[in-house]
Amino acid sequence: MTSSSPASPAPSIAERVAAVRARIGAACHAAGRDPATVTLTAVSKTQPDEAIDAILATGQRVFGENRVQEAQARWTERLSGLDGLELRLIGPLQTNKAEDAVVLFDVIETLDREKLARALAEAAQKRGRSPRFLVQVNTGAEPQKAGVPPEAADALIETARRIYGLTVEGLMCIPPADQAAESHFVLLRDMAERNGLSVLSMGMSGDYEAAIRYGATHVRVGTALFGERNRP
């Protein structure tokens, strides 16, 4: 009778962060890129306070949140005590939350319609604070997913910039789960180049190395940093 080996302990958040950063570095070197050109956005949605404190202890300062109210509860008090913290909204935004989003977030990645551009411009003027913006593109034309259709993205970028005066610096996408992501990354990269945009938020836990190969400047990683999350 053989005895089974004890299970290895789950890696700590610090170990996960180190592993992800190492893989980002390796992917950059393979693509002939400087690792400093890729920012790790830690997707902190639904994570408990102890997990947030653990990842902050590693020096991580860029975080992505899906919901305005959840982010307010998590970050409002922390903002006053942390230097260099950058909050990025990566979930869909309703127009009635535009003012709250403008106040809290440094970057809103999910601009996807003119009505929202108008609401954000009005909120920015009212509050005297304007974050930076990415246009979210629904590269897979998935009806259940947010994002402007690819064929309408150029017009929205122009409208957001020229009509509403928003600082649009890049694009974001979430490729379909059942398709290879590479073609979607190429589509987004080409669209960014066409519109003179320098920021590409693309790539998540399962495909961020491929995204780096195709020009991602920001990768949004949750599970690979925190482990499987508890869904609300």
Side-chain angles (χ1 to χ4, degrees), residues 117-154:
R118 183 186 305 115
L120 288 166
E122 291 172 353
Q125 183 174 23
K126 178 180 178 180
R127 299 307 297 252
R129 183 181 192 273
S130 183
R132 308 186 309 277
F133 298 93
L134 307 187
V135 168
Q136 181 177 356
V137 183
N138 187 347
T139 57
E142 297 174 277
Q144 79 280 14
K145 200 174 275 186
V148 63
E151 65 273 14
D154 290 352

Side-chain angles (χ1 to χ4, degrees), residues 4-25:
S4 58
S5 301
S8 299
S12 67
I13 285 178
E15 290 169 331
R16 288 176 178 273
V17 170
V20 169
R21 288 177 178 161
R23 290 176 64 179
I24 288 172

Side-chain angles (χ1 to χ4, degrees), residues 108-197:
I108 294 173
E109 297 197 7
T110 49
L111 174 58
D112 64 356
R113 58 200 186 279
E114 183 176 357
K115 183 179 179 181
L116 180 57
R118 183 186 305 115
L120 288 166
E122 291 172 353
Q125 183 174 23
K126 178 180 178 180
R127 299 307 297 252
R129 183 181 192 273
S130 183
R132 308 186 309 277
F133 298 93
L134 307 187
V135 168
Q136 181 177 356
V137 183
N138 187 347
T139 57
E142 297 174 277
Q144 79 280 14
K145 200 174 275 186
V148 63
E151 65 273 14
D154 290 352
L156 178 60
I157 294 164
E158 173 68 10
T159 296
R161 286 167 152 175
R162 185 172 57 84
I163 303 298
Y164 297 107
L166 300 180
T167 303
V168 178
E169 64 177 14
L171 304 174
M172 184 268 258
C173 76
I174 305 173
D178 60 350
Q179 296 181 21
E182 284 81 357
S183 63
H184 298 272
F185 296 155
V186 170
L187 186 156
L188 205 70
R189 181 192 64 192
D190 292 350
M191 188 180 295
E193 290 177 354
R194 186 167 69 243
N195 286 280
L197 299 172

